[in-house]
Amino acid sequence: MDSPRTLAWTLDAAAAYFARCGVDSPRATAEHLAARLFGVRRGELASRADQTLSTPRLDAMRRGMKRIAAGEPLQYVLGQWDFRDLTLKTDRRALVPRPETEQLAGLAIASPRLRSIDAPTIIDWGTGSGCIALCLAREFPTARVLGLDISPEALALAAENAAALGLAQRVTFANIAEIDLSEVLDGGSVDAIVSNPPYIPTAQVDRLEPKVLAWEPRLALDGGADGMDVLRAVCEEATMLLAPQGELYLELDAESGQAAAMSRHLAELGFDEIRTHRDFAGAERFVSAALPAGV
């Protein structure tokens, strides 16, 4: 691109370049990159269409375009991404927050039972960037929220997001490998557990699309031989931690039949109200359940 160029010209050129490179949604990707460059929302770009870009901005746009064309996720290039009504810092320390996980958080947010509790205790198991924990803390202002992960790097990112959003005093993050939950929480005291854990079967991890495999942390993807190692561990801990009628919300692999298998496992553990929920594409990606009253 030769300067000076208008924003409209730059967007057209970037979209064409992304299309040639096989980047998904080339026009939208170009707009996200330009919006970040100008510090505005995508919808505001039209009002700047005739604005001429300075050489530093053009150079920054080129750098971002090259990174995306090389396979780096757009969210890492931008350094931030929206999750429901939050804007989160995003980088290689944790998975990119995805629309499906927004749906998972939404299931808990929509729970009439959870809404009826004055000061619920909620666990986000496999917190990553902190997206679920922070979203729930915002939605339930009186809640005690605990975000758990095994990755020190992800926990550091989650803490940075909490500080940036003014929620650092509302959410506690902890390394599940370094704490004894029985010393932190009384048995039967948790009102909800929400978990988007690693759930990809090991044999399938190496077949993921390159931009996932090369850039996102494998620790957050690999769920063991059948993808359900962490899911089962969460369910088994939930039987001890959840209060009577306490709720469990799980995201899992829609392509491996995990919804049916997990539903059976939950029934064996004594859960009831077991339901599967479909994602935006119509696939069974979520399971919810509750402990019976009086357990």
Side-chain angles (χ1 to χ4, degrees):
M1 293 183 287
D2 298 322
S3 56
R5 298 293 189 181
T6 65
L7 176 58
W9 184 94
T10 303
L11 285 172
D12 289 343
Y17 173 75
F18 287 144
R20 292 195 300 273
C21 295
V23 173
D24 293 337
S25 305
R27 180 71 187 192
T29 300
E31 290 176 355
H32 277 297
L33 194 57
R36 180 71 168 126
L37 199 62
F38 278 92
V40 299
R41 295 286 184 180
R42 281 176 64 196
E44 299 175 54
L45 291 174
S47 66
R48 297 171 177 259
D50 295 329
Q51 184 171 337
T52 299
L53 272 70
S54 65
T55 297
R57 273 198 171 132
L58 282 165
D59 289 343
M61 187 79 175
R62 289 192 192 100
R63 288 194 297 272
M65 289 164 60
K66 288 179 180 178
R67 289 171 64 185
I68 291 167
E72 187 172 352
L74 169 66
Q75 295 87 344
Y76 291 168
V77 175
L78 299 179
Q80 64 180 40
W81 198 247
D82 289 345
F83 185 88
R84 292 181 66 93
D85 64 341
L86 305 179
T87 298
L88 301 169
K89 181 177 181 179
T90 51
D91 60 38
R92 296 185 67 175
R93 290 176 288 177
L95 292 182
V96 169
R98 287 170 165 79
E100 294 84 2
T101 306
E102 292 187 19
Q103 286 183 268
L104 175 67
L107 290 173
I109 289 167
S111 166
R113 186 181 297 152
L114 199 54
R115 286 282 182 192
S116 72
I117 301 170
D118 290 337
T121 297
I122 305 171
I123 295 177
D124 169 22
W125 202 305
T127 196
S129 64
C131 56
I132 294 174
L134 297 170
C135 175
L136 295 176
R138 178 72 63 85
E139 290 285 342
F140 296 92
T142 59
R144 175 190 183 189
V145 182
L146 176 63
L148 301 175
D149 210 290
I150 199 170
S151 166
E153 293 80 11
L155 289 165
L157 176 60
E160 290 167 21
N161 277 321
L165 292 166
L167 294 170
Q169 303 303 314
R170 300 270 326 285
V171 183
T172 300
F173 294 106
N175 192 318
I176 191 60
E178 298 176 357
I179 65 167
D180 183 344
L181 285 177
S182 66
E183 295 181 357
V184 178
L185 297 163
D186 293 331
S189 67
V190 176
D191 298 295
I193 296 174
V194 186
S195 183
N196 174 29
Y199 55 66
I200 306 297
T202 300
Q204 295 182 22
V205 172
D206 289 329
R207 297 198 291 271
L208 294 172
E209 57 181 318
K211 70 178 181 180
V212 173
L213 189 58
W215 295 95
E216 299 193 67
R218 188 184 185 103
L219 185 64
L221 299 166
D222 192 336
D226 65 354
M228 294 174 59
D229 285 359
V230 183
L231 283 162
R232 280 189 289 265
V234 171
C235 293
E236 287 154 16
E237 289 283 352
T239 63
M240 302 297 293
L241 292 169
L242 286 175
Q245 297 188 292
E247 298 173 335
L248 177 64
Y249 298 91
L250 303 171
E251 181 175 338
L252 31 73
D253 186 12
E255 299 178 3
S256 301
Q258 289 182 355
M262 184 51 55
S263 295
R264 290 192 297 271
H265 185 61
L266 287 166
E268 292 167 358
L269 291 174
F271 283 85
D272 62 12
E273 300 181 35
I274 300 168
R275 299 184 179 92
T276 60
H277 308 266
R278 296 183 182 275
D279 63 17
F280 293 122
E284 291 186 332
R285 186 174 295 276
F286 315 102
V287 171
S288 63
L291 281 185
V295 296

